[in-house]
Amino acid sequence: MILYSMPSSGNSYKVRLLLALLGHDDVTIINVEDQSDALAQAKQEHRLPFGKAPVLMLEDGTLLPESNAILCYLGEGSRFIPQDAVARTQMLGWMFWEQNQHEGVIAVRASLRCYPHRRALATPDRMADLLERGHDLLQVMENHLVTCDWLVGDDVTLADICLFAYTHTAGSRGGFDMARFGAVNAWIERITQLDGFKGLA
């Protein structure tokens, strides 16, 4: 398999993290950072169906875009997808929420702070709005994790891996006040202790 991955992207990182947790060391990773020659080549070769990474190319050439869809493919039959239908649906609910709500605020604020080509879009009003909305979203996670070690059930699932990607750098990259979220911080620590864990760098 080949993974087209943007190294600094949380969406790409969540796929690399699951690969590490599953012990997949046989996947070729091609870095397609923004504005790179590798990105241009991948687009020219039609390897990025939606124009962005990550994309997982299977052995037969099938292309799987979208980070959370890739997680579901890789996690099939593993401990990371609950067998119970209700728990599996709850896992998917968190994953849909991550893309529909969380990523569009937490990741966007981080990108406006960290990527030079996007800083012109980081107006004071927009940054303040993203900060307030991001704290509200992190509070949703905090309220849940106060009474639970994991987002779904009694063990780690794809939901945790999915939301870890942008949450664990929300303070350092996004400028969010993570001191407010003790339960989220404890959950972050639990994920870093999983066998096979690999950091963003």
Side-chain angles (χ1 to χ4, degrees):
M1 294 189 292
I2 296 174
L3 176 65
Y4 292 89
S5 171
M6 182 176 171
S8 62
S9 161
N11 282 324
S12 290
Y13 169 58
K14 66 178 75 162
V15 177
R16 299 196 306 272
L17 175 56
L18 181 59
L19 287 169
L21 294 173
L22 290 171
H24 277 298
D25 54 7
D26 56 344
V27 177
T28 300
I29 296 178
I30 297 178
N31 292 330
V32 287
E33 196 71 47
D34 270 353
Q35 302 177 341
S36 68
D37 291 340
L39 176 61
Q41 181 176 349
K43 286 182 176 180
Q44 184 177 13
E45 295 173 353
H46 306 290
R47 298 293 174 85
L48 307 178
F50 299 151
K52 62 178 184 173
V55 171
L56 183 68
M57 186 167 74
L58 306 184
E59 292 90 337
D60 66 359
T62 299
L63 297 170
L64 300 180
E66 288 298 314
S67 58
N68 290 353
I70 298 170
L71 292 187
C72 289
Y73 174 80
L74 291 173
E76 189 71 31
S78 77
R79 65 179 283 204
F80 299 105
I81 298 181
Q83 293 186 351
D84 176 73
V86 171
R88 192 164 58 250
T89 303
Q90 291 172 331
M91 175 197 79
L92 290 170
W94 279 108
M95 295 173 74
F96 295 152
W97 179 80
E98 186 265 351
Q99 285 290 283
N100 183 255
Q101 300 290 325
H102 183 280
E103 193 262 0
V105 176
I106 306 295
V108 167
R109 194 172 200 276
S111 72
L112 293 175
R113 295 178 82 232
C114 296
Y115 294 135
H117 66 280
R118 299 206 67 198
R119 284 183 187 154
L121 302 174
T123 63
D125 285 349
R126 186 179 188 192
M127 297 302 280
D129 176 65
L130 288 170
L131 186 67
E132 180 178 359
R133 290 166 57 201
H135 284 144
D136 289 344
L137 292 166
L138 291 165
Q139 190 63 50
V140 170
M141 296 178 66
E142 178 73 11
N143 293 343
H144 183 79
L145 289 165
V146 163
T147 58
C148 306
D149 284 347
W150 304 104
L151 292 172
V152 178
D154 298 325
D155 200 3
V156 60
T157 69
L158 296 183
D160 299 287
I161 295 166
C162 164
L163 275 153
F164 176 82
Y166 284 113
T167 303
H168 84 289
T169 58
S172 59
R173 298 187 69 187
F176 295 97
D177 181 9
M178 295 304 292
R180 301 184 189 185
F181 308 110
V184 172
N185 290 327
W187 166 81
I188 289 171
E189 181 61 24
R190 280 191 288 277
I191 293 176
T192 66
Q193 298 306 310
L194 294 171
D195 289 342
F197 173 83
K198 184 180 251 185
L200 177 61

